[in-house]
Amino acid sequence: MYRYYFPSCPIEGPIDPPVPYAHAASYGAIPNKCAKCDFTFEGSCVRYSDIVNDYMHLDHGPCGIPGSTEPVTVENDFVFSKVKVPHKCSTCHYLDFDNIHGFYCSKDSDKWGDFHRSLDWGDWKPEKIYIHLDPPKRTNKDLVNLAYDEKLIEFIKEHRKINPEGSIGEAKEDYKFLRGRIESLP
């Protein structure tokens, strides 16, 4: 889940008062600092999208509920997730889920509407930022880790396993592509 949060928002500014916002059939509000930000796009954020190849969550700031923000897997009577959320969120009654947004925070839903509050990762940061290859190529966590660890041969093997239609030359180019993005991260 944290792949949509990091790199963190570099923009300082107030979260409140929320600014009314609508996109397509979604209505609600976004954080004040996001309303005039050049990175805001369709209720999401495009900060570092040129590096991570994805939209990011808007920054709603701290939720005000104390607890650890170390990532944990969500597990209860109804769900066992493959993604991680902040520890304090894993047992919080505000943690909610839908098929479009995945896990999200429903705290202050009357304020944010369809533009849900982001999960509060506090000061925690991942050791590695997840980066995608350009579609239609597939990327997985192992492939990204091998690029971070500069293991070209293992990267090529994994690349060929998940992208069997690609050549060794393409795998090498994708390795260079990911390494370049990794090196340009803040």
Side-chain angles (χ1 to χ4, degrees):
M1 219 38 223
Y2 59 77
R3 77 181 217 201
Y4 299 111
Y5 292 86
F6 297 99
S8 301
C9 176
I11 308 299
E12 297 292 326
I15 303 300
D16 289 313
V19 176
Y21 192 84
H23 173 70
S26 297
Y27 300 93
I30 60 174
N32 191 293
K33 72 175 190 169
C34 301
K36 295 179 183 141
C37 181
D38 292 338
F39 294 134
T40 301
F41 180 73
E42 298 180 351
S44 292
C45 183
V46 295
R47 69 180 181 271
Y48 306 115
S49 64
D50 56 328
I51 298 173
V52 297
N53 250 4
D54 218 333
Y55 295 117
M56 310 295 281
H57 280 284
L58 297 177
D59 177 16
H60 291 81
C63 70
I65 296 172
S68 168
T69 56
E70 289 292 318
V72 297
T73 302
V74 176
E75 189 173 359
N76 62 29
D77 293 338
F78 307 104
V79 67
F80 175 78
S81 74
K82 293 182 181 179
V83 298
K84 298 193 183 248
V85 299
H87 186 270
K88 70 179 188 171
C89 301
S90 68
T91 57
C92 181
H93 68 279
Y94 290 118
L95 183 67
D96 214 336
F97 178 86
D98 70 35
N99 290 331
I100 295 171
H101 302 101
F103 288 106
Y104 67 90
C105 180
S106 64
K107 184 174 185 280
D108 304 322
S109 60
D110 57 325
K111 182 187 335 187
W112 302 113
D114 295 333
F115 301 98
H116 311 291
R117 167 182 274 291
S118 52
L119 298 178
D120 179 4
W121 289 96
D123 292 332
W124 181 85
K125 290 182 174 35
E127 290 180 25
K128 299 173 182 172
I129 304 289
Y130 190 81
I131 301 168
H132 296 271
L133 292 172
D134 291 328
K137 291 182 183 168
R138 289 178 282 303
T139 312
N140 64 20
K141 195 173 185 178
D142 291 337
L143 194 71
V144 174
N145 286 336
L146 291 167
Y148 266 98
D149 297 340
E150 300 184 68
K151 294 183 175 181
L152 175 60
I153 302 301
E154 292 91 338
F155 180 94
I156 292 169
K157 289 177 184 176
E158 182 65 20
H159 188 283
R160 300 270 296 155
K161 184 169 90 178
I162 64 173
N163 296 290
E165 64 284 348
S167 67
I168 291 174
E170 279 183 86
K172 287 179 180 179
E173 287 302 312
D174 288 341
Y175 175 81
K176 283 189 222 173
F177 173 81
L178 288 179
R179 285 296 314 150
R181 295 238 169 137
I182 289 165
E183 290 168 7
S184 68
L185 284 167

